[in-house]
Amino acid sequence: MAAEELSARIRELQSKLEESEARAATAESKLALLKNRASKPQASPAMLYDREQVGFTYRNESIQPLRAVELSAEESNEVVETPLIAGGEVIGDIKITPSNQQPWTAEEARLTNNVAQRVALQIQNLRLLAATERARTEAQAATRQFTHESWEGFLDGIRNSERIGYKYDQAAVEPYAESKPAEHDIQETVNVLDEHIGNLYVKADPSQPLNEDDRRMVSAIAQRVAQQVENLRLLADASRARADAEEATRRLSRESWQAYTQRSNSALGYIYDTVQVKPLTDNTPLGNVNFIQPLTVRGEAIGRIAMADAQVTPEGEELTAQIAARVSEQLERLRLTEEIEKRAAELATVAAVSSTASTTLNPDELLQQVVDLTKERFNLYHAHIYLADESWNTLLLAAGAGDVGHQMATSGHAIQMDHKSSIVARAARERASIVSNDVRTEKDYLPHPLLPDTRSEMAVPMIVGDKVLGVLDVQADVTNRFTDEDVNVKTTLATQVAIALQNARLYAEQSATLAQLRELDRLKSSFLANMSHELRTPLNSILGFSDVILEELDGPLTPNMTNDLKLIQKNGQHLLHLINDVLDMAKIESGKLNLIIEKFNLHDIIEEVTSITSPLASEKDLALFIEPDSDREVFISADRTRLRQVLINLVNNAMKFTETGKISIRAVCEKANVLIAVKDTGIGIPPTHLEDVFQEFTQVDSTTTRKVGGTGLGLPISRRLIQMHGGRLWAESAGVDGEGATFYIFMPIEANVEESEPVTKAK
Ligand code: ADP
């Protein structure tokens, strides 16, 4: 090492010596280029490096640096000398020593002159090039200087919004006191993202006034300065952010370690006495500690290595420092690993508890499982859940872990919501977790007789949306049990439990509602079925006796009596119709209507329907007919009576809502299905109401219906009946008066009887 240093030093001294020798070489140092007249004139000018006082010699086929003193007496005597002139200035000369064998001719002398001129020119070029190069390097250095040093002050200025300036007078950059120079030739604004942050003033040398080019350059410089300032600001921001992040990391490490040492009730340290490692206790004799090496993690002290009765040499100190570094690193790694494992285990517990909770639909069972699992899995002294009552007055203990919890819950333990010092009530009121890491220090703390060993307690609100359902309260029998991390974990748990509880409650509510609805529906249907039966019997007798009277079996009638009786009969019929419809609907809805399927010719039924309805058609002077192209040989399996009922209803409706024109019926067989259409030329149905008419008690226009009568049940019943056959019933109409409406039945030839089920409707 020393030898290397020495030789480096020698080399340095040598080069210094050479340098000073070179400087010492006089201005007469000459350039000897040619030894041989046959040499090429463009002899390697690129070999010239330095502009001052150097010479080169071309001798024995090679070019070498030359100092005047090196010319031998003989050579000096016999030279031919030619000056090197560039730009009218003598910048050197060429000396040629002709070969002994060959004399120097006039031609050769001319050639030498030529060569000299070219060499001079070339040298000058190189000088200019070198000068330019130097200027560029200097400029670069100046820029660097500006950006890294002078502008740092400026940077502060930007940050602190101070009004500061700098001036540069070709010698140095200095702070500028005045707000702006008194006289200036050019003023340029410096803008960063359109924000004016300063000005650049330029004052020219009076002998060299500024021209347009200069002004442009100043403007360009102002832009560059702005850009640079912005870059620097960004850089400063970035470093500030990094510093903040570093500070945060340090703080986190410090806090984590504090929490860690507080929590792990491990020994204060360990002691090694060259025989064994033992935990350090308060009363371990420490001897004479005379060397201490701190253990640090990210700049935060986490412990120290101390030595007693030790003589520590500088090497020993270095070694302990290294050991301390490695130990700290390893300790930190172990702590982090432990922390991560602990976190993972806790989250797994949260997942286990909440998944158990979410599969339990009984709210009470759910809460009991949650408290038991929480206590067991998190190794706690106690866990219980309080629920807020509807009026938000009290928090009632809903579930507690183990026997103690059960006892407390059954005794109806409750906390007033406005209880000042209860951390459970506070957690509910403040909607935030509250931790007490030493309950005995809490004001007004009264230990529950069943939980005498509680030392730490944490209350976490159970929140869904913006509603606090209750509080999860966990307790430990040691102090300092709950860390920020525990708060996070239990908050997650409480939220999940709250959601599961909400779901369970909603489910229970929904099941209850559903059961109620079912019961109501059953009651309604059976009521209707009974009532219609009860209504029908007296009504039938009213109709029967009015018939008897009308036929004058009980004596003659006056015309007025006949009229009145006919009205009684008409309304009685209407009432019967209504009762029948209600009964049908009730039967369908309660699943008590069964189809009786038989095979028959569809055409027969259609003919039957036309003959039944024809009296009304002729009364209204409407044409009622079966289309000639209607399929007459369609044998279908269906409930004959019900299909006839549907068709009668459709034809009756068609006649009710048609004043003039015709009603036609057509059946067309399509593969295994049949399409029956009942078409009229009446008022039609607005397209927006085409589906409404199939809703119970819905009539498009109550005034028309009042005129023509109706219950609003015909179409819904018809649709259900067709659906029970596995078919569809729908209407088509443009809603234009005179164009009418067409009702279609599309059903399988072999009825696809649907299992009739009670229909539940929540209205
Ligand atoms: P309603 O006993 O009142 O006729 P429906 O369920 O049979 O009950 O019909 C419901 C409503 O559908 C009727 O009140 C009427 O407004 C409309 N509607 C049914 N058939 C026709 C039709 N062919 N042309 C025009 N409107 C009709």
Side-chain angles (χ1 to χ4, degrees):
M1 187 117 145
E4 261 174 44
E5 262 174 32
L6 205 61
S7 65
R9 183 83 187 120
I10 292 170
R11 274 198 299 277
E12 191 190 339
L13 288 173
Q14 261 175 349
S15 67
K16 276 202 176 147
L17 186 69
E18 274 166 16
E19 233 171 74
S20 61
E21 275 175 355
R23 262 200 297 278
T26 57
E28 295 98 70
S29 291
K30 303 300 186 242
L31 186 70
L33 267 174
L34 303 168
K35 174 192 164 203
N36 195 320
R37 58 188 163 166
S39 286
K40 291 151 206 90
Q42 56 278 67
S44 204
M47 294 296 288
L48 299 174
Y49 303 110
D50 206 344
R51 62 193 173 113
E52 304 310 347
Q53 303 170 3
V54 287
F56 286 86
T57 171
Y58 180 72
R59 197 163 30 182
N60 306 327
E61 306 294 325
S62 67
I63 294 175
Q64 280 156 1
L66 163 98
R67 281 191 286 275
V69 286
E70 280 175 357
L71 287 173
S72 68
E74 191 195 42
E75 283 169 334
S76 321
N77 286 339
E78 290 176 332
V79 290
V80 173
E81 201 164 336
T82 310
L84 290 172
I85 299 168
E89 217 184 307
V90 179
I91 59 162
D93 63 6
I94 296 180
K95 279 186 179 173
I96 300 164
T97 311
S99 140
N100 291 336
Q101 293 83 26
Q102 282 172 308
W104 196 251
T105 64
E107 173 62 8
E108 280 161 349
R110 204 177 49 77
L111 189 73
T112 314
N113 257 333
N114 249 336
V115 170
Q117 269 169 31
R118 288 178 148 214
V119 169
L121 217 61
Q122 197 63 35
I123 289 173
Q124 190 69 346
N125 283 347
L126 284 168
R127 275 185 178 183
L128 287 174
L129 193 72
T132 320
E133 192 61 41
R134 234 186 352 268
R136 201 167 60 84
T137 336
E138 272 167 15
Q140 272 175 353
T143 315
R144 270 201 296 280
Q145 167 99 355
F146 269 1
T147 49
H148 292 302
E149 291 163 30
S150 312
W151 289 106
E152 254 168 36
F154 196 70
L155 180 76
D156 280 343
I158 293 170
R159 211 166 47 218
N160 304 329
S161 297
E162 277 168 9
R163 301 188 61 80
I164 51 161
Y166 287 89
K167 78 168 189 217
Y168 173 64
D169 59 2
Q170 294 193 341
V173 176
E174 280 168 11
Y176 198 79
E178 294 160 34
S179 62
K180 67 174 182 180
E183 341 160 25
H184 55 267
D185 291 349
I186 306 180
Q187 173 186 340
E188 265 301 328
T189 55
V190 179
N191 293 330
V192 172
L193 297 175
D194 288 342
E195 194 187 325
H196 181 200
I197 60 155
N199 292 317
L200 180 65
Y201 302 98
V202 176
K203 173 101 191 82
D205 180 346
S207 65
Q208 287 180 312
L210 298 168
N211 60 25
E212 239 348 276
D213 276 351
D214 297 332
R215 284 170 197 278
R216 269 201 294 278
M217 195 180 77
V218 170
S219 163
I221 288 173
Q223 272 178 30
R224 293 292 294 273
V225 167
Q227 215 164 36
Q228 198 64 35
V229 165
E230 176 63 2
N231 286 347
L232 287 168
R233 191 186 58 75
L234 291 175
L235 191 74
D237 275 357
S239 11
R240 248 199 323 280
R242 207 189 48 216
D244 286 352
E246 273 168 11
E247 175 54 31
T249 325
R250 286 181 52 151
R251 189 173 50 74
L252 280 178
S253 320
R254 180 172 62 232
E255 284 173 1
S256 307
W257 270 101
Q258 274 167 2
Y260 182 75
T261 39
Q262 260 180 11
R263 195 175 52 227
S264 57
N265 288 327
S266 54
L268 288 168
Y270 293 89
I271 187 161
Y272 173 62
D273 56 6
T274 72
V275 181
Q276 58 177 344
V277 178
K278 284 187 295 194
L280 189 68
T281 58
D282 283 338
N283 41 25
T284 309
L286 282 180
N288 185 16
V289 172
N290 56 1
F291 177 79
I292 290 177
Q293 171 67 49
L295 299 177
T296 54
V297 170
R298 283 183 275 277
E300 287 299 324
I302 59 156
R304 54 201 181 166
I305 293 177
M307 277 188 236
D309 305 321
Q311 294 281 311
V312 184
T313 62
E315 288 85 29
E317 261 178 49
E318 200 178 312
L319 193 70
T320 13
Q322 280 181 15
I323 291 173
R326 299 290 289 275
V327 168
S328 315
E329 223 172 83
Q330 192 59 27
L331 277 176
E332 174 71 350
R333 206 170 297 146
L334 285 171
R335 181 184 68 83
L336 288 179
T337 318
E338 206 175 288
E339 213 97 300
I340 289 167
E341 278 169 3
K342 186 169 162 271
R343 187 93 45 85
E346 284 177 345
L347 289 178
T349 307
V350 168
V353 176
S354 54
S355 78
T356 311
S358 59
T359 50
T360 313
L361 287 171
N362 177 329
D364 294 335
E365 238 171 71
L366 182 153
L367 295 178
Q368 192 58 48
Q369 281 177 349
V370 167
V371 289
D372 286 340
L373 275 174
T374 305
K375 178 186 179 238
E376 181 199 314
R377 299 285 185 92
F378 287 102
N379 203 7
L380 294 163
Y381 174 56
H382 190 64
H384 47 205
I385 289 177
Y386 289 86
L387 293 181
D389 68 348
E390 278 296 314
S391 53
W392 191 251
N393 280 331
T394 46
L395 284 156
L396 186 71
L397 186 66
D403 290 342
V404 171
H406 193 70
Q407 269 188 52
M408 283 171 75
T410 44
S411 73
H413 182 70
I415 297 175
Q416 287 300 313
M417 194 60 91
D418 54 7
H419 193 297
K420 282 254 163 9
S421 48
S422 153
I423 76 166
V424 172
R426 271 176 58 206
R429 284 200 308 267
E430 295 169 23
R431 314 168 70 89
S433 300
I434 312 269
V435 175
S436 169
N437 264 325
D438 189 353
V439 287
R440 287 166 303 179
T441 61
E442 297 291 323
K443 208 172 123 248
D444 304 335
Y445 176 75
L446 270 180
H448 193 280
L450 292 170
L451 298 166
D453 299 329
T454 303
R455 291 294 173 269
S456 310
E457 184 174 356
M458 169 161 68
V460 190
M462 305 196 318
I463 304 177
V464 181
D466 57 354
K467 204 171 164 210
V468 179
L469 301 187
V471 176
L472 167 68
D473 182 63
V474 290
Q475 306 185 356
D477 55 5
V478 290
T479 50
N480 294 320
R481 169 65 177 77
F482 302 114
T483 61
D484 286 355
E485 203 40 56
D486 288 311
V487 173
N488 288 341
V489 170
K490 300 293 186 302
T491 305
T492 312
L493 178 67
T495 308
Q496 307 232 14
V497 171
I499 293 168
L501 176 66
Q502 178 92 326
N503 285 344
R505 280 179 171 179
L506 287 176
Y507 179 80
E509 215 170 280
Q510 207 187 20
S511 317
T513 318
L514 199 72
Q516 259 175 352
L517 273 178
R518 284 223 173 100
E519 181 56 16
L520 270 179
D521 222 58
R522 201 188 57 75
L523 283 174
K524 184 195 80 181
S525 299
S526 77
F527 168 78
L528 285 176
N530 288 337
M531 276 309 281
S532 6
H533 182 74
E534 295 302 315
L535 289 170
R536 246 183 338 181
T537 320
L539 186 58
N540 274 330
S541 99
I542 292 171
L543 286 172
F545 282 109
S546 59
D547 241 7
V548 168
I549 299 171
L550 267 176
E551 280 173 26
E552 300 193 319
L553 294 177
D554 292 339
L557 298 171
T558 62
N560 275 350
M561 286 160 90
T562 310
N563 241 353
D564 291 351
L565 275 170
K566 278 193 173 156
L567 273 176
I568 291 175
Q569 210 175 32
K570 193 178 164 214
N571 281 299
Q573 286 293 352
H574 182 61
L575 189 56
L576 183 64
H577 193 67
L578 188 78
I579 292 169
N580 282 339
D581 277 357
V582 169
L583 181 66
D584 275 353
M585 209 61 212
K587 274 190 189 164
I588 291 172
E589 285 194 355
S590 58
K592 283 185 191 135
L593 190 133
N594 295 314
L595 298 180
I596 302 156
I597 304 295
E598 55 185 315
K599 198 162 183 161
F600 55 90
N601 187 348
L602 179 63
H603 189 71
D604 292 349
I605 294 292
I606 296 176
E607 284 209 313
E608 224 178 287
V609 170
T610 47
S611 71
I612 292 170
T613 51
S614 59
L616 183 60
S618 39
E619 202 179 286
K620 285 186 88 172
D621 208 9
L622 295 168
L624 170 66
F625 59 95
I626 304 170
E627 292 279 1
D629 60 352
S630 181
D631 254 324
R632 273 147 215 270
E633 296 298 320
V634 188
F635 288 86
I636 75 167
S637 290
D639 185 318
R640 194 187 177 109
T641 324
R642 293 298 177 184
L643 187 57
R644 188 175 48 206
Q645 181 187 341
V646 172
L647 284 170
I648 290 175
N649 184 31
L650 294 184
V651 174
N652 267 337
N653 273 351
M655 289 192 294
K656 271 200 294 193
F657 299 101
T658 306
E659 287 315 312
T660 52
K662 56 192 184 183
I663 288 108
S664 62
I665 308 169
R666 173 198 273 132
V668 183
C669 208
E670 289 183 359
K671 289 183 189 158
N673 299 294
V674 65
L675 180 72
I676 308 165
V678 177
K679 189 172 160 47
D680 65 57
T681 55
I683 58 168
I685 303 169
T688 46
H689 286 83
L690 285 174
E691 267 307 298
D692 299 345
V693 298
F694 293 99
Q695 299 289 324
E696 292 95 334
F697 306 107
T698 304
Q699 294 165 333
V700 174
D701 180 358
S702 49
T703 49
T704 343
T705 324
R706 213 168 294 135
K707 251 194 298 181
V708 294
T711 59
L713 278 173
L715 287 177
I717 292 172
S718 300
R719 179 176 263 189
R720 281 296 298 153
L721 289 174
I722 296 300
Q723 281 173 346
M724 283 170 75
H725 282 86
R728 287 190 293 130
L729 169 62
W730 75 97
E732 284 179 15
S733 173
V736 177
D737 193 358
E739 286 182 20
T742 309
F743 281 79
Y744 293 96
I745 298 170
F746 183 80
M747 59 190 286
I749 288 171
E750 292 289 332
N752 216 343
V753 182
E754 182 189 285
E755 276 297 308
S756 72
E757 263 181 30
V759 184
T760 311
K761 285 186 201 75
K763 275 193 224 156

